[in-house]
Amino acid sequence: MFGNQMSPTKAMEGVLIFDQSNDLIYQNVNDALRAKLTRHAIDLGLLEDEKRDSRKPLDCNVLVQIFSPLVASQRIMMCQFDNAYTSVQMESNLNLVFDEFLGYLFIQISNKDVDTIRRELGVCICLLKHICGPNINTINNNKKVASLLTNLIGTYRKMYRANQGILVEAIEQLLVNADVKNTVVGALQSATEKLKQDPHSQRSHSIIFVGNKFLSLYSSRQAQELSPADMLFLNIFCQTTDRGEHSKRIESHVVFLQGSSSASSPGCIPHIVHVCKLFDDVFLVLLIEHGSIQVSGNLYDVFFGLQKLQNLQMQMDVENLRSAFDSLETYVRHSLDSMKKLKYNNPEADEAVKSFISKWDNVRKRYSEYFKNFDAAFIPKIESNMPMFVDSLKEVFKLLCAECSTLEHGLQRVSDIADMVEEKLTEVFNFLQVKSQKNFSMGSYLEDFPGLVHFIHIDRNNGRIVAPGLDQEDSENVLKERIWSMVELSRTYLHKGHMSMIWKDVTFSYGYFLWFEDPNGTALKPKEIPDLSAISTKPQLIAGILAGDYYRRLIETCFPRTSPSKIRCYELFCVHLGLVTSTNVLEHCRRLAVTITDLTGCVGNPIELL
């Protein structure tokens, strides 16, 4: 497609998003790939052979013409055969990976290996869902949101190369003594109480991140519990908004958090997020639930129900079309019921709701006519009415869930709260600044665990890790490289059902263990270890939480008759010197798990009881 000439020193990287009409709505392409695409466009006669600014985005029409054969082929494979491409490996070590979300086609082009690209593309979709919700077309109409996505992707890639938490898709728990913890929790409690003085901020969270580490969270009683993926997103968001300035700046956006699986409306909970940098590497995050989570949750279901219906219609799956329509009708009815309970003084929103009802009535009537005798002559009438209904759905979601009139005028109140929290944390500032650089070192473990070089302990229930800091000196680069390779290798075997393994190279011994416990800490053993790579999932989940909660799927597969909320999942990675025997590695890992549990204690979040 692009020929076979490529400079080995310039890695190519790019993400393209096409809408349901195969129009390009987003491009994020680095200079190396942009130059290659430009040369290819010139060869095809799509561009004149002249000098152009390589930093400017390529014309969307040119990219559409270059990729249209591939996109069209992918649509046919996906819609008619339900067997879409997942990747294309090309000459010159250039790979393309495909993914789909709500009818939008995502393509990532890179010199990286296919598994790494798949993970990055899944993270890209996760980040996009957090800033757009189900209305993906927002990035086509809102340059600010498109720019935010580009910056978030860049931050993730940078952190993945350096941060252990991002590597394993968990957030590092900052370990502090009881006095510091009480000081921080007290400050966050005061912040939450200040927020509650506004009637629109009754459901809120106050969070402190120290660098890329989590310190503490305080939630109001009515607030929806946040998921580990939400916390990881918020940390990436903080790192993205940090521009290295010492002056206090407040970044505010509307985001859509998924909430925990036990939340009353998981999947799409609108929040106003305010990020304030208190000191160097110390961030205060104030989260306020925005609007009605019932409306947003129900409209979220409408987007998915509509996409399923359209897919079945394109596949001419008449057998399942009726049930899909019935589901969509239920979602729309729930949405309208929740809108009736919503109090809003916005004429524009009122008009949008009326238009939504009208457009839905038209679509529903056409389907009713079709289902009387399944006459294909009614399909064109359905398809002619569908775009107007889709537009009205997007408009209602934007006005009721995505826009917030209080985003700007609440900044003074947020600034006052930030000043108060900063004052309360002044006495522990120096301590937190030191801890942001290195949580703790391996030195304290060497005596009890001779030969242990490094470890990473992950509590998959709250998405937190405990791990010694990695020095950035040259002497540590070899260890860091081995740690990254260890994690990737363990994932490969985990997908095949191997939950414990020990292996060696010339320098080190490695151990990986995944296990389950009940809420009382009693070990649980699955009757059968599943090979998730053999289980048909579209798209197939990869180990992590950003591109889909792999560990919840693993628990459901291992313990099909038990509620996932009653199962605790843990992972432990260990690196020992190569001379350490396998017996000692096993014994160290058992004692490490107990030591870390004692060290962290109950790391849960204080919840307001008033």
Side-chain angles (χ1 to χ4, degrees):
M1 180 176 173
F2 300 124
N4 56 12
Q5 300 299 318
M6 184 197 77
S7 171
T9 60
K10 294 183 179 180
M12 299 188 209
E13 195 80 68
V15 175
L16 305 175
I17 304 177
F18 295 85
D19 66 10
Q20 294 93 332
S21 302
N22 295 344
D23 291 328
L24 183 70
I25 64 169
Y26 174 81
Q27 60 169 299
N28 177 5
V29 178
N30 72 354
D31 291 343
L33 182 57
R34 187 179 297 111
K36 189 173 186 66
L37 289 170
T38 300
R39 292 196 302 272
H40 188 65
I42 292 172
D43 292 340
L44 293 175
L46 302 176
L47 283 177
E48 295 183 8
D49 189 1
E50 58 183 17
K51 293 183 179 180
R52 63 186 305 277
D53 189 347
S54 61
R55 293 169 297 180
K56 289 184 178 180
L58 279 166
D59 183 87
C60 287
N61 292 325
V62 171
L63 289 174
V64 166
Q65 292 183 71
I66 291 175
F67 285 92
S68 60
L70 190 61
V71 171
S73 175
Q74 174 75 341
R75 294 290 191 193
I76 293 172
M77 294 295 294
M78 183 165 52
C79 297
Q80 295 188 14
F81 302 104
D82 195 24
N83 187 26
Y85 309 126
T86 57
S87 64
V88 174
Q89 295 177 268
M90 304 167 62
E91 294 180 354
S92 305
N93 194 33
L94 193 62
N95 298 315
L96 281 77
V97 171
F98 304 86
D99 208 337
E100 186 269 345
F101 179 69
L102 287 177
Y104 291 83
L105 180 62
F106 294 73
I107 302 177
Q108 181 161 338
I109 309 164
S110 178
N111 299 124
K112 299 172 184 174
D113 64 89
V114 169
D115 287 343
T116 300
I117 303 172
R118 281 186 61 222
R119 177 178 296 279
E120 285 193 3
L121 192 57
V123 170
C124 170
I125 295 174
C126 175
L127 296 172
L128 186 57
K129 287 192 290 186
H130 274 88
I131 61 176
C132 293
N135 189 9
I136 304 303
N137 202 58
T138 303
I139 60 169
N140 188 34
N141 303 321
N142 190 322
K143 291 183 179 180
K144 182 179 179 182
V145 174
S147 176
L148 176 59
L149 176 62
T150 299
N151 293 334
L152 286 168
I153 292 172
T155 301
Y156 166 80
R157 289 174 179 163
K158 181 179 178 181
M159 293 179 73
Y160 186 87
R161 293 191 296 267
N163 182 264
Q164 299 174 82
I166 296 296
L167 171 68
V168 297
E169 297 194 10
I171 188 165
E172 187 171 350
Q173 173 70 52
L174 198 71
L175 301 177
V176 297
N177 59 44
D179 290 339
V180 173
K181 183 183 295 185
N182 291 336
T183 298
V184 174
V185 170
L188 293 180
Q189 182 179 6
S190 298
T192 305
E193 290 172 350
K194 286 282 187 182
L195 284 174
K196 287 182 64 177
Q197 293 177 6
D198 186 326
H200 299 290
S201 307
Q202 297 300 298
R203 304 184 305 275
S204 61
H205 308 270
S206 300
I207 308 169
I208 291 287
F209 291 110
V210 179
N212 50 43
K213 304 174 182 65
F214 168 79
L215 178 55
S216 191
L217 159 69
Y218 193 93
S219 305
S220 64
R221 185 180 181 183
Q222 297 175 329
Q224 299 289 311
E225 184 181 351
L226 303 178
S227 70
D230 290 334
M231 297 299 292
L232 204 52
F233 163 76
L234 291 170
N235 187 244
I236 296 172
F237 186 86
C238 285
Q239 297 299 313
T240 301
T241 58
D242 180 20
R243 300 169 186 171
E245 301 169 358
H246 294 284
S247 58
K248 188 177 299 181
R249 297 181 68 259
I250 298 174
E251 292 280 351
S252 302
H253 293 269
V254 174
V255 297
F256 302 90
L257 305 184
Q258 67 183 44
S260 71
S261 57
S262 59
S264 60
S265 298
C268 182
I269 308 174
H271 285 77
I272 301 170
V273 56
H274 301 286
V275 176
C276 186
K277 187 176 181 180
L278 302 182
F279 316 106
D280 286 347
D281 291 328
V282 179
F283 300 91
L284 170 67
V285 178
L286 299 177
L287 275 174
I288 303 166
E289 285 185 26
H290 162 58
S292 167
I293 60 174
Q294 285 75 31
V295 171
S296 62
N298 289 327
L299 288 175
Y300 188 69
D301 291 337
V302 172
F303 276 96
F304 280 90
L306 179 60
Q307 184 58 36
K308 182 178 181 180
L309 180 70
Q310 290 179 313
N311 284 344
L312 292 172
Q313 192 165 305
M314 285 187 288
Q315 295 167 13
M316 299 303 292
D317 187 348
V318 178
E319 184 178 347
N320 295 307
L321 194 63
R322 182 59 192 256
S323 62
F325 173 78
D326 290 342
S327 296
L328 175 62
E329 188 174 30
T330 300
Y331 299 146
V332 172
R333 185 174 65 253
H334 289 166
S335 298
L336 294 176
D337 290 344
S338 58
M339 288 178 199
K340 290 177 183 177
K341 302 175 184 177
L342 191 63
K343 297 179 180 179
Y344 52 86
N345 298 314
N346 185 343
E348 189 178 3
D350 189 52
E351 280 299 314
V353 172
K354 290 178 181 178
S355 175
F356 176 72
I357 295 172
S358 173
K359 300 300 186 294
W360 166 247
D361 285 341
N362 289 336
V363 169
R364 182 168 53 82
K365 288 176 183 177
R366 300 297 175 265
Y367 271 108
S368 297
E369 293 169 348
Y370 170 73
F371 288 133
K372 286 179 181 179
N373 53 15
F374 290 95
D375 185 352
F378 287 101
I379 293 295
K381 294 182 180 180
I382 291 173
E383 292 176 345
S384 65
N385 281 274
M386 192 60 78
M388 292 178 286
F389 172 65
V390 172
D391 289 342
S392 68
L393 172 62
K394 293 176 181 177
E395 185 69 11
V396 165
F397 184 85
K398 182 184 78 169
L399 293 173
L400 298 186
C401 306
E403 291 189 352
C404 181
S405 59
T406 63
L407 197 60
E408 296 298 330
H409 79 251
L411 291 183
Q412 185 56 52
R413 181 168 59 98
V414 171
S415 180
D416 293 341
I417 292 173
D419 289 339
M420 176 197 68
V421 172
E422 181 176 0
E423 183 178 352
K424 289 179 178 291
L425 296 183
T426 300
E427 60 185 85
V428 298
F429 161 64
N430 290 333
F431 175 79
L432 295 179
Q433 196 171 36
V434 171
K435 294 286 282 187
S436 71
Q437 302 302 315
K438 180 176 287 189
N439 201 357
F440 64 93
S441 65
M442 272 301 301
S444 55
Y445 288 83
L446 294 179
E447 185 176 342
D448 293 331
F449 302 94
L452 180 64
V453 178
H454 193 75
F455 68 86
I456 302 175
H457 179 278
I458 312 168
D459 182 342
R460 285 298 175 189
N461 312 293
N462 57 20
R464 310 275 167 76
I465 74 167
V466 175
L470 284 171
D471 293 329
Q472 300 302 316
E473 300 174 2
D474 290 343
S475 60
E476 294 291 340
N477 284 343
V478 173
L479 174 59
K480 178 184 171 185
E481 181 183 335
R482 302 295 173 83
I483 291 170
W484 263 243
S485 298
M486 170 183 66
V487 171
E488 293 304 321
L489 180 64
S490 68
R491 284 170 173 160
T492 301
Y493 281 91
L494 177 61
H495 288 157
K496 299 176 181 178
H498 300 281
M499 298 186 184
S500 61
M501 50 189 151
I502 296 175
W503 70 100
K504 293 187 176 186
D505 61 20
V506 176
T507 310
F508 299 115
S509 293
Y510 307 90
Y512 169 73
F513 305 91
L514 181 146
W515 70 98
F516 306 99
E517 296 178 1
D518 67 14
N520 298 320
T522 304
L524 299 174
K525 189 174 182 180
K527 292 182 179 179
E528 183 178 352
I529 306 297
D531 180 355
L532 288 187
S533 64
I535 297 176
S536 177
T537 57
K538 294 184 179 182
Q540 188 182 56
L541 286 179
I542 52 180
I545 62 173
L546 292 176
D549 196 340
Y550 176 91
Y551 297 94
R552 183 176 178 85
R553 175 71 61 85
L554 183 64
I555 290 171
E556 291 172 346
T557 306
C558 290
F559 304 96
R561 294 183 178 85
T562 307
S563 170
S565 62
K566 296 181 179 180
I567 306 293
R568 305 287 183 262
C569 179
Y570 301 91
E571 288 181 293
L572 180 62
F573 296 88
C574 289
V575 183
H576 285 78
L577 294 175
L579 296 176
V580 177
T581 65
S582 298
T583 302
N584 283 337
V585 170
L586 281 171
E587 192 265 336
H588 282 184
C589 289
R590 290 192 187 97
R591 287 199 290 119
L592 254 180
V594 174
T595 301
I596 293 169
T597 300
D598 293 340
L599 178 67
T600 56
C602 180
V603 192
N605 308 320
I607 301 296
E608 182 180 355
L609 300 177
L610 298 179

